[in-house]
Structure formats: structure tokens, C-alpha cells
Amino acid sequence: AICAGLFLGWERFLIMLLVAAVSASVVMLVRTARRGGESLETPFAPFLCGGFLVAVFAGTPIIEAYLSLLVR
């Protein structure tokens, strides 16, 4: 994650972490619901990779859209 942060910069790194955390939460909620409440361990690395790809290819438009909501 540190190397990704160095590559992306701090703004897109935050986007990467947000996407990874939200997607992991959704997947774990669905998996837990399907198993009847039984908790399962899932590695976080695939979600970090997905967040990295989102940040690389769509990080700047996401940041610009967010900032346009703040500055009106």
C-alpha cells in the first residue's frame, strides 16, 4: 500500500483506500448474510488492487466531482 501511495499521490491514495474499504465491506456483508451470520476471513489485498485500479483510471475525475460539490 505504501508503494501505491507513492505512485498515486495522497489524493488518489485516499480514493484507493476508500474504494477498497467500501468494496470489502459490501462483499463481506453479502458473504456473511449468505452463510447465516458465520464470519469468514477474506484477504484485503484483492480489494486494494481493485481500489488501485480505480484510483489510477478514474481517480482524478472522482476528485474533481467531489470538489465541485464542495465549491458552489
Side-chain angles (χ1 to χ4, degrees), residues 39-53:
S39 180
L40 298 172
E41 292 183 10
T42 303
F44 192 59
F47 300 105
L48 284 175
C49 292
F52 177 78
L53 291 175

Side-chain angles (χ1 to χ4, degrees), residues 35-71:
R35 295 257 182 187
E38 180 183 339
S39 180
L40 298 172
E41 292 183 10
T42 303
F44 192 59
F47 300 105
L48 284 175
C49 292
F52 177 78
L53 291 175
V54 169
V56 165
F57 294 115
T60 302
I62 292 171
I63 293 169
E64 290 173 356
Y66 177 72
L67 291 177
S68 71
L69 293 174
L70 294 178
V71 182

